[in-house]
Amino acid sequence: MAKPIRLDKLLSHMGYGSRSEIKKAVKQGKVTVNDRLVKDSGLNVDPENDEVYWQDTRVMYRDVIYFMMHKPQGVISATEDTRERTVIDLLQPEDRLLKPFPVGRLDKDTEGLLLLTNDGQLAHELLSPRKHVDKTYEAIVAGKVSEEDRDLFERGVQLDDGYVTMPAVLHIDHVEEQSDGSFTSRITLTIREGKFHQVKRMFEAVGKRVTYLRRITMGTLELDPGLPLGRYRELTEQELVSLQDHAASVKAKKTQT
Ligand code: URA
């Protein structure tokens, strides 16, 4: 049996209104618990085993949520900001109720995979600097990215603050000469840490500039190719279990060494 919770708390938590609105609705006979009409919104219910209905709709209680977002450019990875639009502003009001937050940051001009959850434990495991969860990015880089850059990234490059990055895997997907004689490269880069502006700074370290950046994976989680920019969806059960297993296995590896 799960910890009992007041009916009005459960319903407001799931977006059915304020406590006073719920009290009124319960009095009006809109809510049943285990097929019985209830009149007391202060009733304690077992959120996992009791069957709560709001009129004809079964109210499924949950307290953790996981969203995959295809972050567009122009919004910041924060929960609130006085000037800028945040990724939370892209959520439907009902999806903000459980207070999800972005797991890690993508720059304002970076697109791609962003996990939003209120599961602090999973977020901590995915972000902890002692864990090395792979993140893969696609980028367009001004300049001719070379095999030499690939070797440098594999060994680690020194960033502007002196930090030497962990080995990263660089694939050069396409290099194109422009009409003015300059070069543009399309690359895919997998890094195992998440320093501030890391991808951009790694390319700066080899004298090149990232002009477009998009994250496509984080651990086992892959950006759904069917998810339009600016949209989000819940993780599937399989995505969630794989990600949790992955976070736990990275931990297990670290504990052994
Ligand atoms: N590296 C960057 O430079 N920017 C991001 O948004 C993510 C990784």
Side-chain angles (χ1 to χ4, degrees):
M1 174 164 161
K3 196 167 162 234
I5 178 172
R6 280 175 62 113
L7 182 61
D8 53 2
K9 187 168 179 203
L10 180 148
L11 290 167
S12 71
H13 195 67
M14 298 314 296
Y16 285 87
S18 65
R19 295 262 184 121
S20 58
E21 285 163 348
I22 285 161
K23 190 173 178 182
K24 206 164 138 198
V26 168
K27 281 230 166 75
Q28 287 167 349
K30 290 192 177 157
V31 178
T32 61
V33 176
N34 301 331
D35 289 332
R36 294 168 74 154
L37 207 60
V38 288
K39 287 286 157 94
D40 175 12
S41 58
L43 182 79
N44 273 330
V45 292
D46 172 349
E48 278 172 17
N49 297 309
D50 285 336
E51 289 190 3
V52 178
Y53 274 80
W54 178 276
Q55 292 174 321
D56 293 332
T57 310
R58 171 93 193 257
V59 178
M60 299 302 289
Y61 179 78
R62 56 188 180 155
D63 52 9
V64 282
I65 37 161
Y66 304 88
F67 295 126
M68 170 192 295
M69 176 179 282
H70 189 171
K71 179 193 171 297
Q73 294 184 352
V75 289
I76 62 167
S77 304
T79 46
E80 52 187 24
D81 194 88
T82 47
R83 285 167 302 144
E84 309 267 13
R85 284 186 81 212
T86 73
V87 289
I88 301 300
D89 294 326
L90 300 179
L91 301 180
Q92 296 295 321
E94 62 270 25
D95 291 330
R96 292 182 209 152
L97 287 168
L98 295 179
K99 306 217 175 333
F101 56 86
V103 177
R105 279 166 193 267
L106 290 180
D107 298 337
K108 188 175 168 185
D109 62 355
T110 300
E111 294 178 355
L113 174 66
L114 188 64
L115 173 67
L116 295 137
T117 182
N118 57 357
D119 180 343
Q121 176 64 27
L122 181 66
H124 173 76
E125 291 192 344
L126 291 170
L127 294 177
S128 164
R130 294 206 314 280
K131 306 281 184 70
H132 303 299
V133 173
D134 285 356
K135 279 140 306 224
T136 301
Y137 294 85
E138 290 176 343
I140 299 177
V141 179
K144 192 175 188 174
V145 178
S146 64
E147 296 299 318
E148 194 192 336
D149 296 330
R150 204 193 56 194
D151 294 344
L152 287 169
F153 280 13
E154 199 176 300
R155 277 183 263 141
V157 285
Q158 191 167 30
L159 302 182
D160 45 12
D161 59 0
Y163 178 80
V164 178
T165 56
M166 292 178 69
V169 180
L170 174 64
H171 282 282
I172 304 164
D173 301 321
H174 186 67
V175 178
E176 202 172 300
E177 188 169 1
Q178 308 297 300
S179 52
D180 62 0
S182 65
F183 286 88
T184 299
S185 312
R186 281 182 177 275
I187 62 92
T188 307
L189 179 66
T190 301
I191 58 175
R192 329 194 74 191
E193 51 201 333
K195 302 282 168 207
F196 187 58
H197 297 325
Q198 180 158 343
V199 176
K200 292 173 185 165
R201 289 163 72 211
M202 285 177 77
F203 278 99
E204 273 165 25
V206 295
K208 293 172 184 96
R209 189 168 55 86
V210 171
T211 58
Y212 169 81
L213 188 60
R214 156 181 146 98
R215 181 160 65 191
I216 53 170
T217 75
M218 183 182 200
T220 53
L221 198 60
E222 294 179 8
L223 179 64
D224 179 343
L227 194 61
L229 260 178
R231 304 294 283 273
Y232 66 96
R233 66 157 171 80
E234 288 199 41
L235 294 199
T236 63
E237 188 65 28
Q238 199 181 351
E239 284 169 335
L240 177 59
V241 169
S242 308
L243 194 61
Q244 284 168 330
D245 284 354
H246 185 69
S249 74
V250 181
K251 186 181 184 179
K253 253 188 251 156
K254 288 307 293 176
T255 333
Q256 272 166 25
T257 53

